[in-house]
Amino acid sequence: MDDEGAYARAGGRLPGDPVPDPGLGDEPGPLAPQGRPPRRRTSFRRAFVHALPVLLIVVAILYDIFTPRYFTAGPLYTAAPLVAAPLYSRRGTALTGVAVVAAVVGLQLGKGVIHYVDSLTELITIATVAVLAVLVNGLVRRSDERLVSVREIAEAAQRAVLPAPAERIAGFEIAVCYQAAQADAFIGGDLYAVQDSARGVRLIVGDVRGKGMGAVAAVAVVIGAFREAAEQEATLEAVAQRLERALAREGTRRDGLDAFEGFTTAVLAELPHGGGTVRIVNRGHPPPLLLYADGTLGPLPAHESALPLGMGELGVWPDRAEETAFPPGATLLLYTDGLTEARDAKGEFYDPQARLTGRVFPHPASLLDTLAEEVRRHSGGGMADDMALLAVRRPRRGEHDHCHEP
């Protein structure tokens, strides 16, 4: 289905630190996987750009020294503080301006031309640009502080709406991953949730139609309804029906197109306590994958098609949970279509079933790290849709509990 449509923190800085350049930094994007490849090329480029104001001043001085006095390197002098403004701290920008003015004065005195009108005009122009560069630096710093604040708020919203589950619930090992397609976004229309209940560990992964704040609001509705229903309902089918009614109520409060066409694809799963099975209800969502301990892999497609959540007015089909064996050492992978719709430069989709067959992962977190990294490389870092991943592993008897990051 084609929708219309992440482990990084917004880093604070101490006063006086240089303002980071988003295009040149080494910070990973929201919820980015670990184990990035070396970035020597980026480091060299970053070092060159930060040294550029100094290089401009040096080149300008050499130009003035080795050329006749009626030649001027004024453009290079004015460029140096302007380049420094978005890169350096306020103090660094001011020192760059002072260095430029001092160099011009010294060279004009050495050539004996400081009393000429054109030399004086050049000096005043360069000094004015240096002052303006300090003002620009202040504006850039304030804008960057607001950006950091917005990112921190977005991260807090993500934690509130999509909190990461515990690494281990009722004996199952669990990991999640979320990557937003939009740069610097922390949350979109994909969702996941894990809830322990008296009848087993219940899971949901879903994809809300659309994007923006409307999709985020729908995510909050679905997750809130799921957590309540997972605790109260006796069956997984009843949980799905509660979500259907919650979205129907939400639809009546919306205006315009979303009131008639809003829907959410979702797959719900239930892992009974002490049992070796998994029950699945699929509402128009990509089928989960079951990775066995020996490296074999099998999809778990729904044998009876069902409409996505929120489309109950188009027809009534009773939900039927389908049960599958979930042996020790196996891992259940639930995902949104951001995984399977990631394309490479040739337009080929990423195929998780083909990529994962024959591979063994010791923990769900290592599986999700691998998937996130491979999708990033496959798509060239430009994902077309958000991607949510949830993996649950049933440990073998006697396995030791290791600490992993979700």
Side-chain angles (χ1 to χ4, degrees), residues 78 96 98 128 134 147 157 160 175 288 297 305 316 347 360 368:
T78 55
T96 302
V98 170
T128 302
V134 175
L147 177 60
L297 182 149
S305 300
V316 179
V360 177
L368 300 194

Side-chain angles (χ1 to χ4, degrees), residues 135-268:
L135 297 178
V136 170
N137 175 267
L139 293 175
V140 171
R141 289 180 60 82
R142 283 195 292 271
S143 298
D144 185 71
E145 290 170 357
R146 285 196 294 268
L147 177 60
V148 170
S149 177
V150 169
R151 295 187 65 190
E152 290 175 346
I153 293 172
E155 185 179 5
Q158 179 205 18
R159 290 181 176 178
V161 177
L162 292 178
E167 296 178 2
R168 197 176 186 95
I169 299 178
F172 296 100
E173 298 173 340
I174 299 173
V176 297
C177 175
Y178 191 104
Q179 287 193 332
Q182 184 177 358
D184 295 325
F186 282 81
I187 190 171
D190 289 6
L191 61 97
Y192 57 77
V194 181
Q195 186 73 28
D196 195 10
S197 72
R199 296 166 182 85
V201 179
R202 288 172 168 173
L203 325 164
I204 183 172
V205 167
D207 190 353
V208 175
R209 172 194 171 273
K211 55 185 177 180
M213 293 308 299
V216 175
V219 167
V221 169
V222 172
I223 291 181
F226 169 78
R227 294 197 181 281
E228 182 180 0
E231 288 280 358
Q232 299 176 356
E233 298 295 343
T235 66
L236 198 60
E237 294 90 335
V239 174
Q241 288 302 312
R242 282 277 290 272
L243 299 182
E244 181 73 42
R245 293 193 294 271
L247 282 176
R249 289 193 302 270
E250 176 70 12
T252 60
R253 293 193 290 266
R254 292 190 180 190
D255 297 326
L257 185 64
D258 281 346
F260 300 95
E261 295 189 9
F263 61 85
T264 299
T265 68
V267 58
L268 295 90

Side-chain angles (χ1 to χ4, degrees), residues 265-283:
T265 68
V267 58
L268 295 90
E270 181 181 82
L271 306 172
H273 294 153
T277 61
V278 55
R279 302 189 188 103
I280 293 175
V281 170
N282 195 322
R283 297 295 297 269

Side-chain angles (χ1 to χ4, degrees), residues 297-320:
L297 182 149
L300 303 178
H303 294 92
E304 295 186 19
S305 300
L307 291 174
L309 298 169
M311 301 183 69
E313 73 279 0
L314 300 182
V316 179
W317 288 270
D319 288 302
R320 291 187 176 88

